[in-house]
Amino acid sequence: MAQLQIISGNDRNRVFDLHGDKVTIGRNPKNNIVLFDETASRFHAEIFLHEGRHFIRDLDSSHGTYINSERIVHDTPLLHDTIISIGSTEMVFKEPDRATSDEASTPSPAAQLIGGAAAPEAKSKPLLPEEFSDTVTHYVSATGPLARSANLSDAQSEMLIKVADAIHSVLDRDVLLKILADMLHEIFTPDRVLILLTDPQTGELRLAAQKPEREEQKISNTIVEYAMREKISLLISNTADDERFSEAQSVIRQSIQSAICSPLAGRNAVLGVIYIDSRLRPINFQKDELALLNIISTHAAMSIENAMLVEQKVAAERLSAMGVAVAGISHYIKNIITGLLGSSGLINMGLESGDLKLVEEAWPIQERATQKIHSLVQQMLTLSKKREPEWGTGNLNALMTDVIDNQERRAHEFGVVLQCEFDPDLPDTMFDAQQLHDALLNLTGNAIEACAETENACVKLATKQCDGGKRLAVVIEDNGPGIPQEIQEKIFEPFFSTKGAQGTGLGLAVTRKVIEEHGGSLELDSEEGRGAKFTILIPRRTTNH
């Protein structure tokens, strides 16, 4: 019976028998083969029988299905030992009944490795030009099934698994490359490890990671460019006899004893190259080390591609969020400017006619508009960078009393009753009075607006001690319509607003940031139709250290 054997990814070492005429693969539990791989689509691919042979079909997946590093477009037949790549998962198709006949007509991946039997094409058309024959002692293809197949020792297999486990789940490219460089240095113990990536803008190779970290590292372009162009890993020796590595010709500027250069061959392009060498010590890398690095490079290329996809997605989301933010702020400022222009016109009319009463009526509009712009700028500045609170000793009861005095008239206009339940024994603590006052003012104002159209509208304001006085709490609760579950997390995101052009979407984001800078937290408890309760918790401080 045909099987799929997982060789990399979160499902590594799992084996699946291919029962029936069709088997689906993906993240969704309804698949016949369920992958624990976030980079795979919900229904990614299917394997089906046709006239006694197995074929694979991509199911319009996000990142495609690959056979021996080539993305498939049409239904593709599967041969014994075919490598299938889905997301960050690699699997081998095994068909024992056909293995013998397939292997008789097609050299096995192991046989195609340099040092084993050469592939038929290699006999008639050598892969390596004669000019490199004295310097490059061994080479191996970095693509196709032979890139992943080699007779590694148990120790080397363990090293490969260790590297794969370390990098496959890392989605920060810089972190991934540093981990990779460190592990390569540990495994091969060379004098240096260099990882270079191609700049997508200029097409030039740029140093992305190195071990050990030194000043600018130079390597020979001749071998590196050939390895990338032909997608082959090279074992380099005898450099003292090669003029390309002499001081006049090479940018290495120092002779090297031995080196391995392996391209990072991704699914659609060569991303860069891994280069390790020994210059200061008489280390001669061996053929099995070339094979090991070659396989590591294929895993690294896939992980780097995944990290790049995440970077692109984040960049796209940031751009989208920026567009939404600019649109929202533009509408908000446009409304303010409309008020400013209108009040300015009235003030000018009043001044020209000597009608001071008209000036007095228009002036508050001007002040409110100016205050809104000032508040917007302050919120954006607060949100844009981390700041240390300006610590001072005070009492939250007194701070809340100031907030109530500020909002009492507004609550009356909206028909909202303010109820206070302050802990009379609440101890003093240290906080930034202005920042925390603004945060409490924002939450109270939001609560008043939220329940303004509710019958018997009420906002409850309370202070209390928690954890035996180690933490102090302020609770602001309204009996309004509540906050739907699906937007409860979104309301804390910058520029997300439920007020349309009347809001900037910065208030709650700034409020939570201010509270977190005090070492506290902002908690929300709400059900649609049953009001909302915000709880501010901050640690009691007797000193700002």
Side-chain angles (χ1 to χ4, degrees):
M1 178 181 292
Q3 295 179 327
L4 283 182
Q5 299 178 4
I6 311 296
I7 59 175
S8 72
N10 294 331
D11 298 280
R12 191 184 71 254
N13 295 330
R14 296 176 69 191
V15 178
F16 299 92
D17 293 329
L18 300 181
H19 297 285
D21 294 334
K22 184 174 73 172
V23 173
T24 60
I25 308 170
R27 287 188 294 111
N28 193 289
K30 293 183 180 179
N31 286 286
N32 303 106
I33 297 177
V34 181
L35 299 179
F36 296 94
D37 183 348
E38 289 299 322
T39 59
S41 295
R42 294 173 66 250
F43 294 94
H44 198 109
E46 66 180 15
I47 295 176
F48 61 94
L49 273 173
H50 177 67
E51 296 182 354
R53 298 303 303 262
H54 285 88
F55 288 73
I56 187 166
R57 173 185 298 152
D58 184 76
L59 299 178
D60 295 324
S61 62
S62 299
H63 304 314
T65 301
Y66 292 78
I67 297 297
N68 299 333
S69 297
E70 297 294 332
R71 185 168 185 166
I72 64 172
V73 179
H74 307 291
D75 296 349
T76 303
L78 294 173
L79 300 176
H80 181 70
D81 273 351
T82 296
I83 304 292
I84 303 170
S85 300
I86 291 178
S88 59
T89 300
E90 287 188 325
M91 56 194 79
V92 182
F93 174 75
K94 294 289 186 180
E95 196 172 21
D97 295 339
R98 294 186 180 272
T100 302
S101 60
D102 287 344
E103 289 168 359
S105 59
T106 304
S108 68
Q112 295 181 56
L113 287 172
I114 300 305
E121 306 85 38
K123 291 179 179 178
S124 59
K125 185 179 180 181
L127 182 63
L128 201 67
E130 291 184 5
E131 60 177 307
F132 289 100
S133 59
D134 291 336
T135 302
V136 177
T137 55
H138 297 286
Y139 61 96
V140 59
S141 173
T143 61
L146 58 142
R148 301 168 179 82
S149 304
N151 296 319
L152 302 180
S153 66
D154 290 342
Q156 288 178 321
S157 297
E158 290 180 7
M159 292 176 189
L160 176 61
I161 292 171
K162 185 178 178 181
V163 172
D165 285 345
I167 65 176
H168 274 175
S169 60
V170 180
L171 298 179
D172 184 308
R173 184 168 49 168
D174 291 338
V175 174
L176 186 157
L177 293 172
K178 184 179 185 307
I179 292 173
L180 180 60
D182 289 344
M183 297 193 76
L184 291 174
H185 194 268
E186 178 184 347
I187 291 170
F188 294 95
T189 62
D191 285 315
R192 61 178 183 169
V193 174
L194 305 179
I195 303 175
L196 301 98
L197 296 183
T198 303
D199 188 314
Q201 303 298 325
T202 65
E204 296 179 356
L205 276 176
R206 298 194 180 279
L207 184 64
Q210 61 181 316
K211 183 73 177 185
E213 295 184 2
R214 296 172 179 163
E215 296 181 357
E216 184 180 2
Q217 300 279 10
K218 303 288 188 178
I219 63 172
S220 172
N221 291 330
T222 308
I223 295 292
V224 166
E225 290 174 357
Y226 186 82
M228 292 180 62
R229 184 173 67 253
E230 299 297 331
K231 298 181 182 179
I232 55 176
S233 295
L234 306 170
L235 176 56
I236 305 160
S237 301
N238 305 323
T239 59
D241 299 327
D242 193 324
E243 65 177 10
R244 285 174 305 229
F245 290 85
S246 69
E247 188 166 338
Q249 297 291 329
S250 173
V251 292
I252 294 181
R253 307 302 182 197
Q254 297 184 46
S255 64
I256 60 174
Q257 298 291 329
S258 183
I260 302 178
C261 177
S262 183
L264 292 162
R267 296 182 178 96
N268 301 313
V270 178
L271 308 177
V273 67
I274 296 175
Y275 179 93
I276 67 175
D277 70 17
S278 108
R279 298 179 300 161
L280 308 178
R281 293 176 295 144
I283 296 176
N284 289 311
F285 296 113
Q286 302 301 313
K287 192 165 49 177
D288 61 339
E289 293 175 298
L290 171 68
L292 175 59
L293 182 62
N294 189 58
I295 300 175
I296 289 175
S297 295
T298 63
H299 286 274
M302 181 179 296
S303 295
I304 293 169
E305 280 188 326
N306 290 339
M308 292 170 65
L309 286 172
V310 171
E311 288 177 1
Q312 292 168 6
K313 182 178 179 181
V314 170
E317 289 176 348
R318 284 177 178 169
L319 190 61
S320 176
M322 187 180 297
V324 172
V326 169
I329 292 175
S330 297
H331 284 297
Y332 183 73
I333 293 178
K334 183 179 178 181
N335 289 341
I336 296 174
I337 291 176
T338 300
L340 279 171
L341 292 175
S343 61
S344 295
L346 291 174
I347 290 171
N348 287 333
M349 288 174 57
L351 292 174
E352 289 173 1
S353 63
D355 187 350
L356 295 181
K357 185 176 181 181
L358 186 59
V359 175
E360 290 177 357
E361 291 176 353
W363 188 251
I365 301 174
Q366 188 91 358
E367 283 188 318
R368 285 197 297 270
T370 304
Q371 181 58 42
K372 285 183 178 180
I373 292 178
H374 177 266
S375 177
L376 173 63
V377 172
Q378 286 299 117
Q379 286 181 332
M380 294 181 71
L381 288 173
T382 300
L383 194 64
S384 65
K385 59 183 179 181
K386 184 175 177 60
R387 63 182 296 277
E388 179 70 17
E390 295 182 6
W391 300 103
T393 302
N395 193 284
L396 291 179
N397 286 343
L399 199 63
M400 283 302 298
T401 300
D402 287 342
V403 170
I404 292 169
D405 290 343
N406 183 286
Q407 293 290 301
E408 201 161 23
R409 180 178 176 181
R410 188 158 177 255
H412 180 73
E413 291 174 353
F414 280 96
V416 177
V417 176
L418 299 180
Q419 294 183 358
C420 303
E421 297 178 3
F422 294 167
D423 180 355
D425 299 321
L426 197 73
D428 289 347
T429 186
M430 297 194 74
F431 51 81
D432 186 320
Q434 184 61 54
Q435 292 288 325
L436 200 54
H437 178 274
D438 290 346
L440 294 169
L441 194 66
N442 179 67
L443 290 175
T444 304
N446 286 349
I448 291 171
E449 289 182 10
C451 65
E453 298 181 5
T454 302
E455 188 176 352
N456 299 320
C458 176
V459 173
K460 296 180 180 178
L461 308 165
T463 61
K464 60 182 180 179
Q465 302 180 53
C466 302
D467 302 331
K470 293 181 180 178
R471 293 194 298 169
L472 306 179
V474 176
V475 181
I476 301 171
E477 183 176 6
D478 66 70
N479 63 346
I483 302 171
Q485 185 67 37
E486 61 269 18
I487 70 168
Q488 286 190 20
E489 282 299 319
K490 293 182 179 179
I491 63 173
F492 293 104
E493 296 176 2
F495 308 114
F496 178 85
S497 176
T498 59
K499 300 178 183 179
Q502 300 303 313
T504 62
L506 293 175
L508 285 175
V510 171
T511 295
R512 183 164 69 172
K513 181 173 181 291
V514 166
I515 294 166
E516 288 176 349
E517 287 173 346
H518 279 73
S521 62
L522 176 59
E523 299 174 357
L524 168 62
D525 181 13
S526 179
E527 290 184 24
E528 194 168 3
R530 299 186 62 180
K533 179 170 72 172
F534 287 88
T535 302
I536 294 174
L537 286 165
I538 61 172
R540 184 190 174 196
R541 293 172 179 265
T542 57
T543 173
N544 62 340
H545 295 294

